[in-house]
Amino acid sequence: MRYDPPRPAGRLLLTPEDKEAPERVRRLRRLGLGERAEPVFDAFAHRLAEVAAVPYSMVNFIDENRQFFAGLHTPDRNGSDILSAACTTGDGADHGVGRYMARDYGFCPHVVVRRRALVLEDVCDYPRFAGNPVVDEIGVRSYLGAPLIDQTGIALGTICAVDVEPRPWGKAGLETIKSLAAELVQEIERRAGPL
């Protein structure tokens, strides 16, 4: 685990060391994932937002330096919502909702490294996560995410549901996010074919 110096507000940010990143990137490239938005992933993110009743949801693939939202649901499809402030399109131009976010932002990198679902009903209750830039810059208060672990055993990325209000996800939320992650992995594997 890498320890970053405290932010000016005195919070310690912990970004997990990701030793699997180079292998993940090779696998994502072989699968043709993580570099372009795809309607099927946007549709999945939209469905996840509906099921979880949240304003934001993502299908997220992660490399060594950044996260890519191959599937993205936001309340304002024109991109003028709060998530756009922290995201870019990767080419410096303004194309509405950004699809890239630094690896130090958000909680999905933790899910990928842990290889387990993460439930944060109120991120402010967890000092390790409360100092993350998405809390102050975007207003994230609640997170529910699960890893996308494929047949090779590599955690390719995550799916996640995010809210700007604390949420009592409970066991039902955890089971739902894990079930939806397994469903998406099956779809990815169908597309990829046999090893």
Side-chain angles (χ1 to χ4, degrees), residues 26 36 47 57 59 78 98 108 114 117 122 146 151-152 176-177 187-188:
R26 285 190 294 276
R36 69 183 184 284
R47 184 171 146 232
S57 62
V59 174
N78 294 324
C108 289
R114 290 167 31 117
D122 186 342
Q151 60 192 345
T152 67
T176 298
I177 198 78
E187 176 61 29
I188 290 169

Side-chain angles (χ1 to χ4, degrees), residues 39-128:
V40 67
F41 293 137
D42 281 338
F44 188 91
H46 179 72
R47 184 171 146 232
L48 173 57
E50 286 183 337
V51 168
V54 294
Y56 303 96
S57 62
M58 298 96 177
V59 174
N60 187 6
F61 298 114
I62 302 173
D63 67 20
E64 295 101 331
N65 302 306
R66 65 185 185 186
Q67 304 172 65
F68 176 70
F69 303 132
L72 179 63
H73 172 85
T74 66
D76 179 358
R77 297 220 175 218
N78 294 324
S80 61
D81 58 70
I82 58 175
L83 183 63
S84 298
C87 297
T88 67
T89 56
D91 64 3
D94 181 9
H95 301 286
V97 173
R99 296 280 179 159
Y100 294 95
M101 184 178 281
R103 200 177 138 325
D104 291 342
Y105 276 62
F107 312 112
C108 289
H110 295 270
V111 172
V112 166
V113 170
R114 290 167 31 117
R115 304 173 58 83
R116 292 187 327 215
L118 178 62
V119 178
L120 300 172
E121 293 183 344
D122 186 342
V123 297
C124 294
D125 289 343
Y126 303 89
R128 177 178 187 183

Side-chain angles (χ1 to χ4, degrees), residues 99-179:
R99 296 280 179 159
Y100 294 95
M101 184 178 281
R103 200 177 138 325
D104 291 342
Y105 276 62
F107 312 112
C108 289
H110 295 270
V111 172
V112 166
V113 170
R114 290 167 31 117
R115 304 173 58 83
R116 292 187 327 215
L118 178 62
V119 178
L120 300 172
E121 293 183 344
D122 186 342
V123 297
C124 294
D125 289 343
Y126 303 89
R128 177 178 187 183
F129 299 113
N132 193 285
V134 298
V135 176
D136 293 334
E137 294 176 24
I138 301 175
V140 171
R141 286 295 299 274
S142 187
Y143 174 90
L144 179 65
L148 299 170
I149 300 174
D150 77 351
Q151 60 192 345
T152 67
I154 295 173
L156 302 173
T158 67
I159 62 168
C160 68
V162 177
D163 204 338
V164 295
E165 301 292 332
R167 295 286 303 264
W169 300 110
K171 186 173 182 175
L174 175 62
E175 293 306 318
T176 298
I177 198 78
K178 288 166 56 176
S179 174

